[in-house]
Amino acid sequence: MTLMDKKFGAELVTKKGKVYKFDDMNCFLNFYNSGFENTADYQHKLVVDFASEGKLIDATHAFYIKSSAIRSPMDGQVAAFEVKTNSDKYKKEWKGIYLAWGEVITQYK
């Protein structure tokens, strides 16, 4: 899959090495929560750091902003950041809310 916007995107990698790629958090989390694979079978859960175009980071440790002002490819309205201070500027600009991994995964259940 070719990513539409290099500021968004995600990957799931199973313990057997199968890689699933997604355009944004909407697709990523819908698949993650679908039961297609057992969530315990994912070796890596990765998201693109919005502040570092194309850089994959650990999804469970990322800082997330949710806002209707975020225009991601599949309208997920969520951006991920590796460093919280990078997300602060966008939170204010987008009038968004902070989310942690546990909150993000429940957004699409």
Side-chain angles (χ1 to χ4, degrees), residues 4-5 7 16 18-21 26 32 35 38 42 45 53 55 65-66 68 71 74 77 89-90 108:
M4 299 300 292
D5 185 336
K7 291 185 178 183
K16 292 182 178 180
K18 174 79 173 155
V19 178
Y20 299 98
K21 296 183 180 193
N26 185 9
Y32 180 81
N38 185 324
Y42 294 119
K45 296 172 281 294
E53 194 172 292
K55 180 181 181 184
I65 302 291
K66 180 173 177 133
S68 60
R71 301 290 180 225
M74 304 306 284
Q77 299 182 346
K89 174 181 99 173
Y90 291 101
Y108 297 91

Side-chain angles (χ1 to χ4, degrees), residues 9-22:
E11 290 185 8
L12 288 169
V13 182
T14 68
K15 292 176 181 174
K16 292 182 178 180
K18 174 79 173 155
V19 178
Y20 299 98
K21 296 183 180 193
F22 307 92

Side-chain angles (χ1 to χ4, degrees), residues 1-99:
M1 169 185 253
T2 302
L3 297 181
M4 299 300 292
D5 185 336
K6 293 188 187 319
K7 291 185 178 183
F8 300 97
E11 290 185 8
L12 288 169
V13 182
T14 68
K15 292 176 181 174
K16 292 182 178 180
K18 174 79 173 155
V19 178
Y20 299 98
K21 296 183 180 193
F22 307 92
D23 272 335
D24 79 358
M25 293 300 290
N26 185 9
C27 297
F28 170 75
L29 291 169
N30 280 322
F31 185 84
Y32 180 81
N33 289 322
S34 73
F36 186 79
E37 297 269 1
N38 185 324
T39 58
D41 291 336
Y42 294 119
Q43 182 73 33
H44 301 287
K45 296 172 281 294
L46 305 166
V47 292
V48 172
D49 178 7
F50 186 87
S52 300
E53 194 172 292
K55 180 181 181 184
L56 289 169
I57 58 174
D58 184 338
T60 63
H61 294 103
F63 300 90
Y64 297 93
I65 302 291
K66 180 173 177 133
S67 170
S68 60
I70 298 172
R71 301 290 180 225
S72 61
M74 304 306 284
D75 199 30
Q77 299 182 346
V78 174
F81 297 86
E82 184 173 29
V83 179
K84 185 180 181 305
T85 54
N86 289 343
S87 69
D88 291 339
K89 174 181 99 173
Y90 291 101
K91 180 187 179 290
K92 184 176 180 179
E93 179 183 328
W94 293 331
K95 297 178 177 74
I97 59 169
Y98 288 117
L99 297 173

